[in-house]
Amino acid sequence: MQELKDSIRDIIDFPKKGIVFKDITTLLAHGRHFHRTIDLMAHRYLGQDIDMIVGIEARGFILGSALAYKLGTGITLVRKPGKLPHKTIQKTYALEYGTDTLEIHADAFKPGERVLIADDLLATGGTIAATIDLVRELEAEIVECIFLAELDFLNGREKLSDVEVFSLLHF
Ligand code: AMP
């Protein structure tokens, strides 16, 4: 696990001063690390009844699609506004400065489908909280939210008390 953590690169002051950005491209670019990451994430759910992965734009698509392939499920996309072509529902949420909006296709699930939500990193929890609202509005059942990495010091998971959360790596 330490090897995987070490393969994530810190970029200081990106995208703005004071932020230490966890750059997972260095892990993704390493075949053995990427393979092991997906195997470890998927292993938790082997034999479980999962219908769909929800991937959050954009790095959640990379992890989510590999997980979906491994688990033999479909993947549905949560995207920035204006990217999804069919009818959508939206959720706007607060950022440190301003707001952001996420969308999902209104027909993404059949009611009661069991889904995993995947993203690369849990920071403050705003992105995942908005995604949870979208998935619940469409009456899917969230089995767990899975992240490659979590920034523990931001306490993002405290926002998510009514859902299971798993992160492979902790910083
Ligand atoms: P949050 O809504 O604060 O939990 O932020 C989560 C989203 O922002 C994830 O999709 C991450 O890709 C991205 N993110 C936030 N903070 C960082 C960070 N320090 N390093 C890398 N990605 C980040």
Side-chain angles (χ1 to χ4, degrees):
M1 219 57 96
Q2 191 59 45
E3 207 184 13
L4 294 182
K5 279 182 79 168
D6 291 346
S7 74
I8 294 176
R9 170 168 65 184
D10 281 354
I11 309 287
I12 311 297
D13 294 334
F14 182 88
K16 56 185 179 192
K17 207 162 177 48
I19 304 281
V20 178
F21 189 83
K22 294 288 175 191
D23 177 16
I24 67 161
T25 62
T26 40
L27 181 152
L28 297 176
H30 189 290
R32 188 166 53 80
H33 291 340
F34 185 34
H35 194 262
R36 182 158 162 70
T37 295
I38 297 303
D39 277 356
L40 287 168
M41 290 171 89
H43 187 259
R44 248 177 108 71
Y45 310 103
L46 291 177
Q48 282 197 44
D49 188 15
I50 308 288
D51 299 305
M52 187 76 83
I53 308 291
V54 178
I56 304 176
E57 187 166 357
R59 288 173 295 266
F61 295 171
I62 299 166
L63 297 162
S65 58
L67 272 175
Y69 180 80
K70 186 92 187 168
L71 295 172
T73 71
I75 179 166
T76 197
L77 309 180
V78 167
R79 299 209 63 178
K80 306 276 166 57
K83 303 283 189 186
L84 289 170
H86 195 52
K87 184 169 179 272
T88 61
I89 60 165
Q90 294 88 21
K91 179 79 189 179
T92 296
Y93 60 102
L95 298 173
E96 195 181 348
Y97 301 104
T99 62
D100 219 339
T101 301
L102 290 173
E103 294 187 342
I104 191 170
H105 274 147
D107 62 355
F109 313 107
K110 298 182 193 75
E113 273 195 321
R114 289 166 50 82
V115 309
L116 291 177
I117 305 177
D119 203 2
D120 64 325
L121 187 122
L122 174 58
T124 65
T127 307
I128 189 70
T131 302
I132 289 169
D133 285 350
L134 289 172
V135 171
R136 287 195 171 141
E137 193 174 329
L138 297 177
E139 296 177 23
E141 184 188 334
I142 300 167
V143 176
E144 197 156 72
C145 300
I146 181 163
F147 300 91
L148 168 56
E150 179 170 347
L151 302 182
D152 294 340
F153 56 92
L154 292 176
N155 298 317
R157 69 167 62 212
E158 281 175 11
K159 278 203 185 86
L160 314 171
S161 53
D162 57 347
V163 75
E164 298 295 323
V165 177
F166 173 76
S167 301
L168 186 64
L169 307 174
H170 290 266
F171 291 93

